[in-house]
Amino acid sequence: MKKILLTLFSILNLSFCLMAQGPQALYSGAIPNFIDGPNEQNVAVTNGISRIVKVTIPTYQFYSAGTGSMKPCVIICPGGGYGILASSHEGSDIAKKFNEKGIHALVLFYRLPDAKRQVDKRIAPLQDAQQAIRLTRQHASEWGIDPKKIGIMGFSAGGHLAASVATHFNKDYTGINDGANLRPDFQILLYPVISFRSFGHQGSAKNLIGPAMSEDDLHLFSNEEQVSAQTPPAFLVHAADDKAVPVKNSLLYVEKLSDLNISSDLHVYAKGGHGFGLNNKTTGDDWFESLFKWFKSQSLL
């Protein structure tokens, strides 16, 4: 009995440590596409919402749903127009909600584009998101993750990043080129920036690429134009009255997925605007419960 209790204590202690750990370094070695300089990252809290600015050193925080059976894991990319990271209502709050459902989560604090700190600022967020996929698969056994059930999630510009990961996985932008599987098994997009065309979010486009955008850049980073037969299934949520990121972004993305018979589940609210996180106050509907049902329909749980 004593041995059983000690084993249980060890398991619970490991689970607690994984949930309680603070942000960890995303790369074990040198950060690719990195120009050294002072770390000016800081956090501002307004109306209970945390926003991180000047992220130049990428980190992550893993939220464990506990030990036992191998569970799916969602990598979460907070939004913020590629200018900030809305780290609470589009990050930690979401991760904790997943944990309640028995799903692991990893919040990614990806680099914000900065020509002074990156050789090519356009690809820095995508490099970090691909590394998060690689890292999660590397630690799958240790963290109790099913390596075939690792998905990417993003809000607003974080949704653009998540969709980029879901459509650009055939190229290893990190330059590590170790043969790792960088394709997420599913994607979850909340009021996402999909396109950098006229109906996209020009602020995100300018922050990522710059004021001068070539046709090649527009094509590469307009993810509706990058969908292939290997793009993973998607769950999307958007509000029809979103003035910041028009719902056309989600509608067109779903259309392109449908053209290639890729499963997608789109929930469009009449109202809600932009950036509502878990709680769209205009409706009693709970999109997270719909997402949980989608997980079951996709055999992810």
Side-chain angles (χ1 to χ4, degrees), residues 214-233:
S214 68
E215 175 57 31
D216 286 345
D217 282 334
L218 289 172
H219 173 62
L220 183 65
F221 292 104
S222 292
N223 291 312
E224 79 281 7
E225 299 175 20
Q226 301 298 324
V227 173
S228 71
Q230 288 73 46
T231 301

Side-chain angles (χ1 to χ4, degrees), residues 27-265:
Y27 297 91
S28 59
I31 301 171
N33 186 30
F34 180 74
I35 299 173
D36 199 11
N39 184 2
E40 300 176 322
Q41 177 176 318
N42 62 80
V43 182
V45 181
T46 307
N47 297 323
I49 296 176
S50 298
R51 296 173 175 87
I52 307 177
V53 299
K54 297 185 178 180
V55 181
T56 54
I57 299 175
T59 58
Y60 72 92
Q61 187 160 0
F62 180 66
Y63 291 76
S64 172
T67 56
S69 60
M70 304 297 273
K71 299 174 176 63
C73 183
V74 181
I75 296 167
I76 302 168
C77 305
Y82 284 124
I84 65 164
L85 297 182
S87 59
S88 56
H89 81 298
E90 294 177 352
S92 57
D93 291 351
I94 309 299
K96 293 170 185 175
K97 194 73 174 178
F98 275 119
N99 282 178
E100 291 175 8
K101 298 293 188 181
I103 299 167
H104 299 303
L106 183 149
V107 179
L108 174 63
F109 306 106
Y110 55 90
R111 283 175 290 173
L112 296 170
D114 183 349
K116 295 179 181 178
R117 300 302 302 274
Q118 296 124 30
V119 178
D120 184 352
K121 71 172 189 172
R122 303 173 309 157
I123 62 170
L126 180 53
Q127 289 175 314
D128 296 345
Q130 285 193 331
Q131 174 63 11
I133 295 280
R134 171 186 283 110
L135 184 79
T136 304
R137 287 210 165 98
Q138 286 176 341
H139 288 279
S141 179
E142 175 188 350
W143 292 350
I145 296 170
D146 185 332
K148 296 182 179 179
K149 295 180 180 179
I150 294 172
I152 192 80
M153 180 182 200
F155 297 75
S156 192
H160 179 267
L161 178 55
S164 298
V165 173
T167 54
H168 291 77
F169 51 83
N170 284 325
K171 177 178 178 179
D172 185 350
Y173 282 84
T174 69
I176 295 173
N177 295 318
D178 58 356
N181 175 12
L182 301 177
R183 177 187 179 274
D185 298 302
F186 56 90
Q187 54 182 316
I188 305 167
L189 310 176
L190 274 291
Y191 35 87
V193 179
I194 292 295
S195 183
F196 280 175
R197 300 295 181 181
S198 60
F199 55 89
H201 185 248
Q202 295 308 301
S204 296
K206 289 178 181 178
N207 283 337
L208 185 67
I209 299 175
M213 289 177 257
S214 68
E215 175 57 31
D216 286 345
D217 282 334
L218 289 172
H219 173 62
L220 183 65
F221 292 104
S222 292
N223 291 312
E224 79 281 7
E225 299 175 20
Q226 301 298 324
V227 173
S228 71
Q230 288 73 46
T231 301
F235 179 95
L236 302 92
V237 179
H238 221 124
D241 67 346
D242 190 333
K243 302 302 182 185
V245 179
V247 69
K248 183 176 180 180
N249 283 267
S250 287
L251 294 172
L252 186 55
Y253 195 57
V254 167
E255 179 183 333
K256 297 299 183 181
L257 293 171
S258 179
D259 286 346
L260 293 174
N261 296 314
I262 298 167
S263 173
S264 62
D265 192 341

